[in-house]
Amino acid sequence: VYDPLADELFWAVKGKGAHIKYGADGGGTSAPIHVSATETIPQAVISMDPGYGRDSVAVQRYCAAQSAILLQGVRNIRVLGSTGLNMAYVACGRLDAAFEEGSWEGNRGPKIWDFAAGKLLVSEAGGLTRDLTVCQVDRPLDLMQRSFFCASTSSLTHEILNTIDQDSGRTEK
């Protein structure tokens, strides 16, 4: 995942960790990256992208999730607008979690090319990725779906997903 504004390249190899290359277009230097150790929502900086859903259901779901997280006392919420950079920033500890909901039926949300590299980055940096299409906290991220979730720690993952699920009326399976 390349960030052209910062001239940073985030890369990973399965089983060999995740890295960042500063000054990527001019040679630069590389360093290993790791997720943060953030455990709870009040300590977390979370990115929530609304995606392209602008119908009333999508807007209500986004606002409900954002409201639920704000009411838990989140440190801050960001909207970056790039699934790949969201996941890269979780991998390097700049963000503690990130997610975007979508669906094939509604033709909204990221696609496989938006988050396949991010899934590897987060995993190799020690974080977790999950599937948001069903209410199941431990379900792995399905690259063929249109939603993504990633976080730095298991406890933060569970807290965020349970907060989102409770507010949406879904119950954990």
PDB file of all heavy atoms in Angstrom, residues 38-41 44 46 69 90 96-99 122 126-132 136-139 149-165 172:
ATOM      1  N   THR A  38      -3.296  -0.903  22.185  1.00  0.00           N
ATOM      2  CA  THR A  38      -4.538  -0.338  22.712  1.00  0.00           C
ATOM      3  C   THR A  38      -5.574  -1.429  22.961  1.00  0.00           C
ATOM      4  O   THR A  38      -5.852  -2.245  22.087  1.00  0.00           O
ATOM      5  CB  THR A  38      -5.102   0.717  21.739  1.00  0.00           C
ATOM      6  OG1 THR A  38      -4.103   1.730  21.592  1.00  0.00           O
ATOM      7  CG2 THR A  38      -6.380   1.323  22.251  1.00  0.00           C
ATOM      8  N   GLU A  39      -6.156  -1.402  24.170  1.00  0.00           N
ATOM      9  CA  GLU A  39      -7.072  -2.463  24.591  1.00  0.00           C
ATOM     10  C   GLU A  39      -8.532  -2.035  24.680  1.00  0.00           C
ATOM     11  O   GLU A  39      -9.415  -2.884  24.644  1.00  0.00           O
ATOM     12  CB  GLU A  39      -6.648  -2.987  25.976  1.00  0.00           C
ATOM     13  CG  GLU A  39      -5.262  -3.598  26.023  1.00  0.00           C
ATOM     14  CD  GLU A  39      -5.237  -5.027  25.522  1.00  0.00           C
ATOM     15  OE1 GLU A  39      -6.291  -5.686  25.546  1.00  0.00           O
ATOM     16  OE2 GLU A  39      -4.165  -5.473  25.091  1.00  0.00           O
ATOM     17  N   THR A  40      -8.821  -0.728  24.826  1.00  0.00           N
ATOM     18  CA  THR A  40     -10.192  -0.298  25.065  1.00  0.00           C
ATOM     19  C   THR A  40     -10.569   0.894  24.181  1.00  0.00           C
ATOM     20  O   THR A  40      -9.700   1.657  23.736  1.00  0.00           O
ATOM     21  CB  THR A  40     -10.409   0.117  26.537  1.00  0.00           C
ATOM     22  OG1 THR A  40      -9.608   1.257  26.818  1.00  0.00           O
ATOM     23  CG2 THR A  40     -10.063  -1.011  27.501  1.00  0.00           C
ATOM     24  N   ILE A  41     -11.866   1.059  23.976  1.00  0.00           N
ATOM     25  CA  ILE A  41     -12.369   2.155  23.149  1.00  0.00           C
ATOM     26  C   ILE A  41     -11.933   3.532  23.670  1.00  0.00           C
ATOM     27  O   ILE A  41     -11.513   4.373  22.875  1.00  0.00           O
ATOM     28  CB  ILE A  41     -13.902   2.062  22.988  1.00  0.00           C
ATOM     29  CG1 ILE A  41     -14.259   0.864  22.090  1.00  0.00           C
ATOM     30  CG2 ILE A  41     -14.485   3.346  22.405  1.00  0.00           C
ATOM     31  CD1 ILE A  41     -15.744   0.593  21.945  1.00  0.00           C
ATOM     32  N   ALA A  44      -8.692   4.466  22.230  1.00  0.00           N
ATOM     33  CA  ALA A  44      -8.522   4.188  20.810  1.00  0.00           C
ATOM     34  C   ALA A  44      -8.774   5.378  19.890  1.00  0.00           C
ATOM     35  O   ALA A  44      -9.634   6.217  20.140  1.00  0.00           O
ATOM     36  CB  ALA A  44      -9.452   3.049  20.400  1.00  0.00           C
ATOM     37  N   ILE A  46     -10.008   5.521  16.114  1.00  0.00           N
ATOM     38  CA  ILE A  46     -10.670   4.593  15.199  1.00  0.00           C
ATOM     39  C   ILE A  46     -11.051   5.319  13.916  1.00  0.00           C
ATOM     40  O   ILE A  46     -11.569   6.427  13.957  1.00  0.00           O
ATOM     41  CB  ILE A  46     -11.944   4.009  15.854  1.00  0.00           C
ATOM     42  CG1 ILE A  46     -11.585   3.268  17.142  1.00  0.00           C
ATOM     43  CG2 ILE A  46     -12.689   3.095  14.882  1.00  0.00           C
ATOM     44  CD1 ILE A  46     -12.786   2.847  17.971  1.00  0.00           C
ATOM     45  N   ILE A  69     -20.025   4.276  19.373  1.00  0.00           N
ATOM     46  CA  ILE A  69     -18.597   4.348  19.710  1.00  0.00           C
ATOM     47  C   ILE A  69     -18.278   5.649  20.451  1.00  0.00           C
ATOM     48  O   ILE A  69     -17.518   5.645  21.423  1.00  0.00           O
ATOM     49  CB  ILE A  69     -17.740   4.168  18.448  1.00  0.00           C
ATOM     50  CG1 ILE A  69     -17.860   2.706  17.985  1.00  0.00           C
ATOM     51  CG2 ILE A  69     -16.290   4.536  18.688  1.00  0.00           C
ATOM     52  CD1 ILE A  69     -17.241   2.417  16.653  1.00  0.00           C
ATOM     53  N   VAL A  90      -3.451   1.069  10.794  1.00  0.00           N
ATOM     54  CA  VAL A  90      -3.653   0.164  11.934  1.00  0.00           C
ATOM     55  C   VAL A  90      -2.398  -0.705  12.093  1.00  0.00           C
ATOM     56  O   VAL A  90      -1.900  -0.897  13.205  1.00  0.00           O
ATOM     57  CB  VAL A  90      -4.919  -0.701  11.774  1.00  0.00           C
ATOM     58  CG1 VAL A  90      -4.965  -1.814  12.828  1.00  0.00           C
ATOM     59  CG2 VAL A  90      -6.174   0.169  11.873  1.00  0.00           C
ATOM     60  N   ASP A  96      -5.860   2.603  15.865  1.00  0.00           N
ATOM     61  CA  ASP A  96      -6.023   1.393  16.674  1.00  0.00           C
ATOM     62  C   ASP A  96      -7.047   0.434  16.082  1.00  0.00           C
ATOM     63  O   ASP A  96      -7.016  -0.763  16.362  1.00  0.00           O
ATOM     64  CB  ASP A  96      -6.434   1.784  18.097  1.00  0.00           C
ATOM     65  CG  ASP A  96      -5.409   2.718  18.719  1.00  0.00           C
ATOM     66  OD1 ASP A  96      -4.227   2.321  18.797  1.00  0.00           O
ATOM     67  OD2 ASP A  96      -5.764   3.843  19.090  1.00  0.00           O
ATOM     68  N   ALA A  97      -7.943   0.950  15.270  1.00  0.00           N
ATOM     69  CA  ALA A  97      -8.941   0.122  14.587  1.00  0.00           C
ATOM     70  C   ALA A  97      -9.488   0.900  13.406  1.00  0.00           C
ATOM     71  O   ALA A  97      -9.395   2.133  13.355  1.00  0.00           O
ATOM     72  CB  ALA A  97     -10.076  -0.256  15.531  1.00  0.00           C
ATOM     73  N   ALA A  98     -10.079   0.176  12.451  1.00  0.00           N
ATOM     74  CA  ALA A  98     -10.705   0.799  11.292  1.00  0.00           C
ATOM     75  C   ALA A  98     -11.759  -0.150  10.749  1.00  0.00           C
ATOM     76  O   ALA A  98     -11.601  -1.367  10.831  1.00  0.00           O
ATOM     77  CB  ALA A  98      -9.666   1.104  10.209  1.00  0.00           C
ATOM     78  N   PHE A  99     -12.830   0.428  10.216  1.00  0.00           N
ATOM     79  CA  PHE A  99     -13.833  -0.414   9.578  1.00  0.00           C
ATOM     80  C   PHE A  99     -14.703   0.371   8.611  1.00  0.00           C
ATOM     81  O   PHE A  99     -14.775   1.592   8.665  1.00  0.00           O
ATOM     82  CB  PHE A  99     -14.695  -1.149  10.604  1.00  0.00           C
ATOM     83  CG  PHE A  99     -15.595  -0.281  11.436  1.00  0.00           C
ATOM     84  CD1 PHE A  99     -16.903  -0.044  11.053  1.00  0.00           C
ATOM     85  CD2 PHE A  99     -15.139   0.281  12.619  1.00  0.00           C
ATOM     86  CE1 PHE A  99     -17.738   0.740  11.828  1.00  0.00           C
ATOM     87  CE2 PHE A  99     -15.962   1.059  13.407  1.00  0.00           C
ATOM     88  CZ  PHE A  99     -17.265   1.298  13.004  1.00  0.00           C
ATOM     89  N   VAL A 122      -2.007  -6.062   8.320  1.00  0.00           N
ATOM     90  CA  VAL A 122      -2.482  -6.080   9.704  1.00  0.00           C
ATOM     91  C   VAL A 122      -2.110  -7.390  10.384  1.00  0.00           C
ATOM     92  O   VAL A 122      -1.616  -7.400  11.520  1.00  0.00           O
ATOM     93  CB  VAL A 122      -4.008  -5.832   9.766  1.00  0.00           C
ATOM     94  CG1 VAL A 122      -4.548  -6.062  11.173  1.00  0.00           C
ATOM     95  CG2 VAL A 122      -4.327  -4.415   9.299  1.00  0.00           C
ATOM     96  N   GLY A 126       0.690  -8.069  13.630  1.00  0.00           N
ATOM     97  CA  GLY A 126       0.199  -8.548  14.923  1.00  0.00           C
ATOM     98  C   GLY A 126      -1.242  -8.204  15.239  1.00  0.00           C
ATOM     99  O   GLY A 126      -1.716  -8.462  16.347  1.00  0.00           O
ATOM    100  N   GLY A 127      -1.965  -7.633  14.277  1.00  0.00           N
ATOM    101  CA  GLY A 127      -3.360  -7.247  14.514  1.00  0.00           C
ATOM    102  C   GLY A 127      -4.346  -8.289  14.038  1.00  0.00           C
ATOM    103  O   GLY A 127      -3.976  -9.385  13.611  1.00  0.00           O
ATOM    104  N   LEU A 128      -5.621  -7.919  14.115  1.00  0.00           N
ATOM    105  CA  LEU A 128      -6.710  -8.818  13.761  1.00  0.00           C
ATOM    106  C   LEU A 128      -7.576  -8.210  12.669  1.00  0.00           C
ATOM    107  O   LEU A 128      -7.796  -6.994  12.656  1.00  0.00           O
ATOM    108  CB  LEU A 128      -7.596  -9.066  14.985  1.00  0.00           C
ATOM    109  CG  LEU A 128      -6.879  -9.695  16.174  1.00  0.00           C
ATOM    110  CD1 LEU A 128      -7.544  -9.283  17.463  1.00  0.00           C
ATOM    111  CD2 LEU A 128      -6.886 -11.193  16.036  1.00  0.00           C
ATOM    112  N   THR A 129      -8.092  -9.044  11.786  1.00  0.00           N
ATOM    113  CA  THR A 129      -9.079  -8.621  10.806  1.00  0.00           C
ATOM    114  C   THR A 129     -10.312  -9.486  11.007  1.00  0.00           C
ATOM    115  O   THR A 129     -10.207 -10.658  11.370  1.00  0.00           O
ATOM    116  CB  THR A 129      -8.571  -8.765   9.357  1.00  0.00           C
ATOM    117  OG1 THR A 129      -8.240 -10.125   9.110  1.00  0.00           O
ATOM    118  CG2 THR A 129      -7.361  -7.879   9.115  1.00  0.00           C
ATOM    119  N   ARG A 130     -11.474  -8.900  10.790  1.00  0.00           N
ATOM    120  CA  ARG A 130     -12.731  -9.613  11.004  1.00  0.00           C
ATOM    121  C   ARG A 130     -13.733  -9.261   9.916  1.00  0.00           C
ATOM    122  O   ARG A 130     -13.631  -8.240   9.256  1.00  0.00           O
ATOM    123  CB  ARG A 130     -13.336  -9.275  12.372  1.00  0.00           C
ATOM    124  CG  ARG A 130     -12.534  -9.763  13.551  1.00  0.00           C
ATOM    125  CD  ARG A 130     -12.588 -11.281  13.639  1.00  0.00           C
ATOM    126  NE  ARG A 130     -11.830 -11.794  14.766  1.00  0.00           N
ATOM    127  CZ  ARG A 130     -10.601 -12.292  14.692  1.00  0.00           C
ATOM    128  NH1 ARG A 130      -9.969 -12.328  13.542  1.00  0.00           N
ATOM    129  NH2 ARG A 130     -10.003 -12.768  15.765  1.00  0.00           N
ATOM    130  N   ASP A 131     -14.738 -10.122   9.790  1.00  0.00           N
ATOM    131  CA  ASP A 131     -15.823  -9.944   8.839  1.00  0.00           C
ATOM    132  C   ASP A 131     -16.980  -9.230   9.527  1.00  0.00           C
ATOM    133  O   ASP A 131     -17.394  -9.631  10.610  1.00  0.00           O
ATOM    134  CB  ASP A 131     -16.275 -11.321   8.342  1.00  0.00           C
ATOM    135  CG  ASP A 131     -17.223 -11.255   7.171  1.00  0.00           C
ATOM    136  OD1 ASP A 131     -17.661 -10.144   6.820  1.00  0.00           O
ATOM    137  OD2 ASP A 131     -17.528 -12.312   6.610  1.00  0.00           O
ATOM    138  N   LEU A 132     -17.488  -8.177   8.929  1.00  0.00           N
ATOM    139  CA  LEU A 132     -18.619  -7.432   9.488  1.00  0.00           C
ATOM    140  C   LEU A 132     -19.959  -7.865   8.907  1.00  0.00           C
ATOM    141  O   LEU A 132     -20.987  -7.350   9.306  1.00  0.00           O
ATOM    142  CB  LEU A 132     -18.464  -5.931   9.219  1.00  0.00           C
ATOM    143  CG  LEU A 132     -17.455  -5.171  10.039  1.00  0.00           C
ATOM    144  CD1 LEU A 132     -17.423  -3.721   9.590  1.00  0.00           C
ATOM    145  CD2 LEU A 132     -17.777  -5.252  11.508  1.00  0.00           C
ATOM    146  N   GLN A 136     -20.600 -12.000  14.349  1.00  0.00           N
ATOM    147  CA  GLN A 136     -19.828 -13.101  14.905  1.00  0.00           C
ATOM    148  C   GLN A 136     -18.422 -12.570  15.126  1.00  0.00           C
ATOM    149  O   GLN A 136     -17.648 -12.421  14.180  1.00  0.00           O
ATOM    150  CB  GLN A 136     -19.845 -14.275  13.921  1.00  0.00           C
ATOM    151  CG  GLN A 136     -19.443 -15.579  14.505  1.00  0.00           C
ATOM    152  CD  GLN A 136     -19.710 -16.699  13.503  1.00  0.00           C
ATOM    153  OE1 GLN A 136     -19.790 -16.503  12.306  1.00  0.00           O
ATOM    154  NE2 GLN A 136     -19.850 -17.896  14.019  1.00  0.00           N
ATOM    155  N   VAL A 137     -18.085 -12.265  16.371  1.00  0.00           N
ATOM    156  CA  VAL A 137     -16.857 -11.537  16.704  1.00  0.00           C
ATOM    157  C   VAL A 137     -15.586 -12.220  16.210  1.00  0.00           C
ATOM    158  O   VAL A 137     -14.631 -11.551  15.847  1.00  0.00           O
ATOM    159  CB  VAL A 137     -16.801 -11.285  18.228  1.00  0.00           C
ATOM    160  CG1 VAL A 137     -15.467 -10.704  18.641  1.00  0.00           C
ATOM    161  CG2 VAL A 137     -17.921 -10.353  18.642  1.00  0.00           C
ATOM    162  N   ASP A 138     -15.578 -13.536  16.138  1.00  0.00           N
ATOM    163  CA  ASP A 138     -14.353 -14.237  15.759  1.00  0.00           C
ATOM    164  C   ASP A 138     -14.326 -14.713  14.307  1.00  0.00           C
ATOM    165  O   ASP A 138     -13.445 -15.467  13.926  1.00  0.00           O
ATOM    166  CB  ASP A 138     -14.121 -15.421  16.700  1.00  0.00           C
ATOM    167  CG  ASP A 138     -13.793 -14.962  18.109  1.00  0.00           C
ATOM    168  OD1 ASP A 138     -13.103 -13.934  18.250  1.00  0.00           O
ATOM    169  OD2 ASP A 138     -14.240 -15.600  19.070  1.00  0.00           O
ATOM    170  N   ARG A 139     -15.259 -14.268  13.484  1.00  0.00           N
ATOM    171  CA  ARG A 139     -15.277 -14.692  12.087  1.00  0.00           C
ATOM    172  C   ARG A 139     -14.182 -13.960  11.304  1.00  0.00           C
ATOM    173  O   ARG A 139     -14.138 -12.734  11.286  1.00  0.00           O
ATOM    174  CB  ARG A 139     -16.637 -14.409  11.472  1.00  0.00           C
ATOM    175  CG  ARG A 139     -16.708 -14.894  10.033  1.00  0.00           C
ATOM    176  CD  ARG A 139     -18.087 -14.691   9.471  1.00  0.00           C
ATOM    177  NE  ARG A 139     -18.057 -14.924   8.040  1.00  0.00           N
ATOM    178  CZ  ARG A 139     -19.094 -15.281   7.352  1.00  0.00           C
ATOM    179  NH1 ARG A 139     -20.255 -15.437   7.943  1.00  0.00           N
ATOM    180  NH2 ARG A 139     -18.997 -15.463   6.063  1.00  0.00           N
ATOM    181  N   PHE A 149     -12.999  -5.000   8.767  1.00  0.00           N
ATOM    182  CA  PHE A 149     -12.757  -4.541  10.126  1.00  0.00           C
ATOM    183  C   PHE A 149     -11.352  -4.976  10.483  1.00  0.00           C
ATOM    184  O   PHE A 149     -10.950  -6.107  10.191  1.00  0.00           O
ATOM    185  CB  PHE A 149     -13.749  -5.165  11.117  1.00  0.00           C
ATOM    186  CG  PHE A 149     -13.433  -4.807  12.549  1.00  0.00           C
ATOM    187  CD1 PHE A 149     -13.975  -3.659  13.117  1.00  0.00           C
ATOM    188  CD2 PHE A 149     -12.570  -5.574  13.309  1.00  0.00           C
ATOM    189  CE1 PHE A 149     -13.667  -3.303  14.424  1.00  0.00           C
ATOM    190  CE2 PHE A 149     -12.251  -5.226  14.605  1.00  0.00           C
ATOM    191  CZ  PHE A 149     -12.803  -4.094  15.161  1.00  0.00           C
ATOM    192  N   CYS A 150     -10.589  -4.110  11.126  1.00  0.00           N
ATOM    193  CA  CYS A 150      -9.285  -4.502  11.643  1.00  0.00           C
ATOM    194  C   CYS A 150      -9.012  -3.732  12.928  1.00  0.00           C
ATOM    195  O   CYS A 150      -9.502  -2.624  13.116  1.00  0.00           O
ATOM    196  CB  CYS A 150      -8.171  -4.285  10.632  1.00  0.00           C
ATOM    197  SG  CYS A 150      -7.927  -2.591  10.072  1.00  0.00           S
ATOM    198  N   ALA A 151      -8.261  -4.362  13.816  1.00  0.00           N
ATOM    199  CA  ALA A 151      -7.922  -3.736  15.095  1.00  0.00           C
ATOM    200  C   ALA A 151      -6.600  -4.275  15.594  1.00  0.00           C
ATOM    201  O   ALA A 151      -6.111  -5.313  15.148  1.00  0.00           O
ATOM    202  CB  ALA A 151      -9.020  -3.966  16.129  1.00  0.00           C
ATOM    203  N   SER A 152      -6.050  -3.561  16.566  1.00  0.00           N
ATOM    204  CA  SER A 152      -4.730  -3.885  17.088  1.00  0.00           C
ATOM    205  C   SER A 152      -4.740  -5.068  18.058  1.00  0.00           C
ATOM    206  O   SER A 152      -3.802  -5.854  18.072  1.00  0.00           O
ATOM    207  CB  SER A 152      -4.128  -2.657  17.773  1.00  0.00           C
ATOM    208  OG  SER A 152      -5.004  -2.188  18.781  1.00  0.00           O
ATOM    209  N   THR A 153      -5.774  -5.199  18.885  1.00  0.00           N
ATOM    210  CA  THR A 153      -5.786  -6.253  19.904  1.00  0.00           C
ATOM    211  C   THR A 153      -7.128  -6.983  19.940  1.00  0.00           C
ATOM    212  O   THR A 153      -8.154  -6.445  19.504  1.00  0.00           O
ATOM    213  CB  THR A 153      -5.526  -5.679  21.314  1.00  0.00           C
ATOM    214  OG1 THR A 153      -6.575  -4.757  21.641  1.00  0.00           O
ATOM    215  CG2 THR A 153      -4.168  -4.987  21.401  1.00  0.00           C
ATOM    216  N   SER A 154      -7.125  -8.159  20.491  1.00  0.00           N
ATOM    217  CA  SER A 154      -8.340  -8.962  20.612  1.00  0.00           C
ATOM    218  C   SER A 154      -9.382  -8.276  21.486  1.00  0.00           C
ATOM    219  O   SER A 154     -10.574  -8.251  21.156  1.00  0.00           O
ATOM    220  CB  SER A 154      -7.988 -10.342  21.179  1.00  0.00           C
ATOM    221  OG  SER A 154      -9.144 -11.118  21.336  1.00  0.00           O
ATOM    222  N   SER A 155      -8.952  -7.709  22.613  1.00  0.00           N
ATOM    223  CA  SER A 155      -9.922  -7.070  23.507  1.00  0.00           C
ATOM    224  C   SER A 155     -10.568  -5.851  22.857  1.00  0.00           C
ATOM    225  O   SER A 155     -11.781  -5.633  22.992  1.00  0.00           O
ATOM    226  CB  SER A 155      -9.277  -6.698  24.840  1.00  0.00           C
ATOM    227  OG  SER A 155      -8.235  -5.778  24.659  1.00  0.00           O
ATOM    228  N   LEU A 156      -9.808  -5.061  22.104  1.00  0.00           N
ATOM    229  CA  LEU A 156     -10.386  -3.913  21.401  1.00  0.00           C
ATOM    230  C   LEU A 156     -11.337  -4.393  20.300  1.00  0.00           C
ATOM    231  O   LEU A 156     -12.413  -3.824  20.113  1.00  0.00           O
ATOM    232  CB  LEU A 156      -9.283  -3.023  20.813  1.00  0.00           C
ATOM    233  CG  LEU A 156      -9.762  -1.739  20.120  1.00  0.00           C
ATOM    234  CD1 LEU A 156     -10.542  -0.840  21.085  1.00  0.00           C
ATOM    235  CD2 LEU A 156      -8.576  -0.995  19.527  1.00  0.00           C
ATOM    236  N   THR A 157     -10.959  -5.434  19.592  1.00  0.00           N
ATOM    237  CA  THR A 157     -11.821  -6.015  18.565  1.00  0.00           C
ATOM    238  C   THR A 157     -13.176  -6.385  19.150  1.00  0.00           C
ATOM    239  O   THR A 157     -14.220  -5.997  18.627  1.00  0.00           O
ATOM    240  CB  THR A 157     -11.160  -7.270  17.955  1.00  0.00           C
ATOM    241  OG1 THR A 157      -9.959  -6.885  17.293  1.00  0.00           O
ATOM    242  CG2 THR A 157     -12.089  -7.977  16.981  1.00  0.00           C
ATOM    243  N   HIS A 158     -13.157  -7.140  20.244  1.00  0.00           N
ATOM    244  CA  HIS A 158     -14.408  -7.583  20.868  1.00  0.00           C
ATOM    245  C   HIS A 158     -15.236  -6.393  21.357  1.00  0.00           C
ATOM    246  O   HIS A 158     -16.453  -6.353  21.166  1.00  0.00           O
ATOM    247  CB  HIS A 158     -14.126  -8.558  22.014  1.00  0.00           C
ATOM    248  CG  HIS A 158     -13.808  -9.933  21.532  1.00  0.00           C
ATOM    249  ND1 HIS A 158     -12.574 -10.275  21.056  1.00  0.00           N
ATOM    250  CD2 HIS A 158     -14.577 -11.038  21.435  1.00  0.00           C
ATOM    251  CE1 HIS A 158     -12.574 -11.538  20.692  1.00  0.00           C
ATOM    252  NE2 HIS A 158     -13.786 -12.035  20.908  1.00  0.00           N
ATOM    253  N   GLU A 159     -14.588  -5.409  21.974  1.00  0.00           N
ATOM    254  CA  GLU A 159     -15.323  -4.264  22.510  1.00  0.00           C
ATOM    255  C   GLU A 159     -15.995  -3.467  21.392  1.00  0.00           C
ATOM    256  O   GLU A 159     -17.178  -3.097  21.492  1.00  0.00           O
ATOM    257  CB  GLU A 159     -14.401  -3.370  23.331  1.00  0.00           C
ATOM    258  CG  GLU A 159     -15.140  -2.254  24.041  1.00  0.00           C
ATOM    259  CD  GLU A 159     -14.249  -1.398  24.930  1.00  0.00           C
ATOM    260  OE1 GLU A 159     -13.039  -1.677  25.064  1.00  0.00           O
ATOM    261  OE2 GLU A 159     -14.781  -0.416  25.475  1.00  0.00           O
ATOM    262  N   ILE A 160     -15.283  -3.200  20.311  1.00  0.00           N
ATOM    263  CA  ILE A 160     -15.859  -2.430  19.209  1.00  0.00           C
ATOM    264  C   ILE A 160     -16.977  -3.209  18.530  1.00  0.00           C
ATOM    265  O   ILE A 160     -18.075  -2.679  18.308  1.00  0.00           O
ATOM    266  CB  ILE A 160     -14.783  -2.021  18.177  1.00  0.00           C
ATOM    267  CG1 ILE A 160     -13.802  -1.028  18.797  1.00  0.00           C
ATOM    268  CG2 ILE A 160     -15.432  -1.422  16.929  1.00  0.00           C
ATOM    269  CD1 ILE A 160     -12.576  -0.756  17.930  1.00  0.00           C
ATOM    270  N   LEU A 161     -16.715  -4.472  18.189  1.00  0.00           N
ATOM    271  CA  LEU A 161     -17.740  -5.250  17.488  1.00  0.00           C
ATOM    272  C   LEU A 161     -18.985  -5.446  18.342  1.00  0.00           C
ATOM    273  O   LEU A 161     -20.111  -5.360  17.827  1.00  0.00           O
ATOM    274  CB  LEU A 161     -17.166  -6.589  17.019  1.00  0.00           C
ATOM    275  CG  LEU A 161     -16.122  -6.494  15.909  1.00  0.00           C
ATOM    276  CD1 LEU A 161     -15.588  -7.874  15.548  1.00  0.00           C
ATOM    277  CD2 LEU A 161     -16.674  -5.799  14.683  1.00  0.00           C
ATOM    278  N   ASN A 162     -18.820  -5.675  19.627  1.00  0.00           N
ATOM    279  CA  ASN A 162     -19.991  -5.805  20.504  1.00  0.00           C
ATOM    280  C   ASN A 162     -20.745  -4.489  20.611  1.00  0.00           C
ATOM    281  O   ASN A 162     -21.979  -4.471  20.648  1.00  0.00           O
ATOM    282  CB  ASN A 162     -19.593  -6.327  21.879  1.00  0.00           C
ATOM    283  CG  ASN A 162     -19.261  -7.802  21.848  1.00  0.00           C
ATOM    284  OD1 ASN A 162     -19.800  -8.553  21.053  1.00  0.00           O
ATOM    285  ND2 ASN A 162     -18.351  -8.220  22.715  1.00  0.00           N
ATOM    286  N   THR A 163     -20.038  -3.370  20.647  1.00  0.00           N
ATOM    287  CA  THR A 163     -20.682  -2.052  20.697  1.00  0.00           C
ATOM    288  C   THR A 163     -21.490  -1.809  19.424  1.00  0.00           C
ATOM    289  O   THR A 163     -22.642  -1.381  19.483  1.00  0.00           O
ATOM    290  CB  THR A 163     -19.631  -0.941  20.874  1.00  0.00           C
ATOM    291  OG1 THR A 163     -18.982  -1.128  22.133  1.00  0.00           O
ATOM    292  CG2 THR A 163     -20.263   0.445  20.830  1.00  0.00           C
ATOM    293  N   ILE A 164     -20.892  -2.094  18.267  1.00  0.00           N
ATOM    294  CA  ILE A 164     -21.591  -1.914  16.991  1.00  0.00           C
ATOM    295  C   ILE A 164     -22.806  -2.834  16.924  1.00  0.00           C
ATOM    296  O   ILE A 164     -23.895  -2.420  16.530  1.00  0.00           O
ATOM    297  CB  ILE A 164     -20.645  -2.197  15.809  1.00  0.00           C
ATOM    298  CG1 ILE A 164     -19.538  -1.160  15.733  1.00  0.00           C
ATOM    299  CG2 ILE A 164     -21.423  -2.205  14.496  1.00  0.00           C
ATOM    300  CD1 ILE A 164     -18.432  -1.542  14.775  1.00  0.00           C
ATOM    301  N   ASP A 165     -22.616  -4.093  17.290  1.00  0.00           N
ATOM    302  CA  ASP A 165     -23.695  -5.077  17.198  1.00  0.00           C
ATOM    303  C   ASP A 165     -24.853  -4.750  18.127  1.00  0.00           C
ATOM    304  O   ASP A 165     -26.013  -4.869  17.750  1.00  0.00           O
ATOM    305  CB  ASP A 165     -23.170  -6.480  17.484  1.00  0.00           C
ATOM    306  CG  ASP A 165     -22.281  -6.985  16.362  1.00  0.00           C
ATOM    307  OD1 ASP A 165     -22.361  -6.456  15.235  1.00  0.00           O
ATOM    308  OD2 ASP A 165     -21.495  -7.908  16.607  1.00  0.00           O
ATOM    309  N   GLU A 172     -24.765 -11.228  19.049  1.00  0.00           N
ATOM    310  CA  GLU A 172     -23.602 -12.051  18.765  1.00  0.00           C
ATOM    311  C   GLU A 172     -23.994 -13.506  18.656  1.00  0.00           C
ATOM    312  O   GLU A 172     -24.806 -14.020  19.421  1.00  0.00           O
ATOM    313  CB  GLU A 172     -22.541 -11.883  19.855  1.00  0.00           C
ATOM    314  CG  GLU A 172     -21.252 -12.580  19.524  1.00  0.00           C
ATOM    315  CD  GLU A 172     -20.183 -12.313  20.562  1.00  0.00           C
ATOM    316  OE1 GLU A 172     -20.223 -11.289  21.219  1.00  0.00           O
ATOM    317  OE2 GLU A 172     -19.323 -13.179  20.674  1.00  0.00           O
TER     318      GLU A 172
END
